[in-house]
Amino acid sequence: DQQVKQNSPSLSVQEGRISILNCDYTNSMFDYFLWYKKYPAEGPTFLISISSIKDKNEDGRFTVFLNKSAKHLSLHIVPSQPGDSAVYFCAASWVGWGKFQFGAGTQVVVTP
Amino acid sequence: EAQVTQNPRYLITVTGKKLTVTCSQNMNHEYMSWYRQDPGLGLRQIYYSMNVEVTDKGDVPEGYKVSRKEKRNFPLILESPSPNQTSLYFCASKRGSMNTEAFFGQGTRLTVV
């Protein structure tokens, strides 16, 4: 039973435009959400996170939005750059649980 | 440099031949875990450890064993590997049970023939 879902396996965007990645979750106990970025032949690297007490967190070109009532979060990348081409994973957890649940990932391709 | 180190990076083995994938972290993290990545399924947790001598099953523990005798090391053991364990494996660590990010190793590509 997948508790974290990324329904778009791929996304193609032009350089300079906005990339929007979506993630849905089913478990209302989740109170911490993260986005990871993964290049081929490398491990996932942490990108940005958000706690359930917030609805937005921003770090440079990356912004994560959380809509708790809809159990939905999104990652906005503005502007998109060729180096952003990677697989992006959404993950969720709650304090003390000790586990992360990951989505299936979205492959982002930024074209010139 | 803070890091999680996995070895080997690539491994081809035969069905039934026991193997161990090592994982070590130098950040004094309490929490360590193992994931496997398969196409269309994302990262699925195999086992995790909240501290030394404390381990628990993740979502896909069948066919795997782990041990946590020291804080820095968390080896993954496949007693009798089978072809369905062919996958990309990642070790991760983080501070305790707090809401904080996990750091991942570079991955181990395992092929069981």
Side-chain angles (χ1 to χ4, degrees):
Chain A
D1 175 33
Q2 211 157 8
Q3 300 182 58
V4 177
K5 296 180 183 176
Q6 293 176 255
N7 291 318
S8 298
S10 64
L11 172 69
S12 183
V13 64
Q14 265 191 318
E15 182 178 0
R17 300 287 186 106
I18 183 172
S19 295
I20 300 177
L21 290 76
N22 294 302
C23 179
D24 297 295
Y25 61 96
T26 57
N27 192 334
S28 55
M29 289 193 67
F30 290 142
D31 62 3
Y32 186 61
F33 305 89
L34 311 91
W35 285 94
Y36 279 83
K37 178 178 180 179
K38 186 184 179 303
Y39 293 118
E42 293 185 13
T45 55
F46 171 73
L47 194 56
I48 192 169
S49 64
I50 187 166
S51 165
S52 60
I53 62 173
K54 294 185 174 182
D55 53 21
K56 176 182 173 182
N57 190 26
E58 201 170 346
D59 184 0
R61 296 186 297 112
F62 303 93
T63 303
V64 57
F65 296 91
L66 175 63
N67 182 333
K68 289 185 290 293
S69 60
K71 294 190 176 69
H72 176 84
L73 64 154
S74 61
L75 175 68
H76 293 209
I77 306 173
V78 184
S80 300
Q81 299 174 354
D84 296 332
S85 296
V87 177
Y88 290 78
F89 290 102
C90 168
S93 183
W94 72 76
V95 64
W97 188 37
K99 296 172 68 170
F100 287 132
Q101 284 284 339
F102 281 85
T106 297
Q107 172 76 60
V108 172
V109 176
V110 181
T111 56
Chain B
E1 182 191 351
Q3 58 185 5
V4 178
T5 304
Q6 296 178 226
N7 279 296
R9 292 288 313 275
Y10 302 92
L11 180 60
I12 301 175
T13 190
V14 296
T15 300
K17 185 178 182 183
K18 181 179 178 180
L19 66 92
T20 299
V21 184
T22 64
C23 174
S24 180
Q25 51 94 3
N26 63 0
M27 295 168 278
N28 202 35
H29 286 167
E30 293 82 10
Y31 174 97
M32 297 185 74
S33 63
W34 277 101
Y35 295 85
R36 59 178 288 173
Q37 182 188 359
D38 301 291
L41 297 175
L43 292 156
R44 294 180 295 166
Q45 193 172 51
I46 302 170
Y47 268 95
Y48 65 98
S49 169
M50 300 290 278
N51 214 324
V52 175
E53 302 291 1
V54 181
T55 63
D56 206 349
K57 296 177 181 178
D59 297 315
V60 287
E62 295 78 20
Y64 304 94
K65 283 176 60 177
V66 293
S67 68
R68 187 89 183 273
K69 294 184 170 57
E70 307 164 280
K71 199 172 187 180
R72 63 182 293 125
N73 296 322
F74 190 45
L76 179 70
I77 303 156
L78 285 73
E79 294 269 3
S80 183
S82 62
N84 65 12
Q85 293 178 298
T86 292
S87 187
L88 180 56
Y89 292 86
F90 291 101
C91 179
S93 75
K94 76 179 186 76
R95 279 182 295 136
S97 59
M98 298 163 57
N99 276 344
T100 183
E101 72 271 22
F103 295 82
F104 283 81
Q106 295 278 70
T108 297
R109 171 74 67 183
L110 173 65
T111 302
V112 184
V113 297

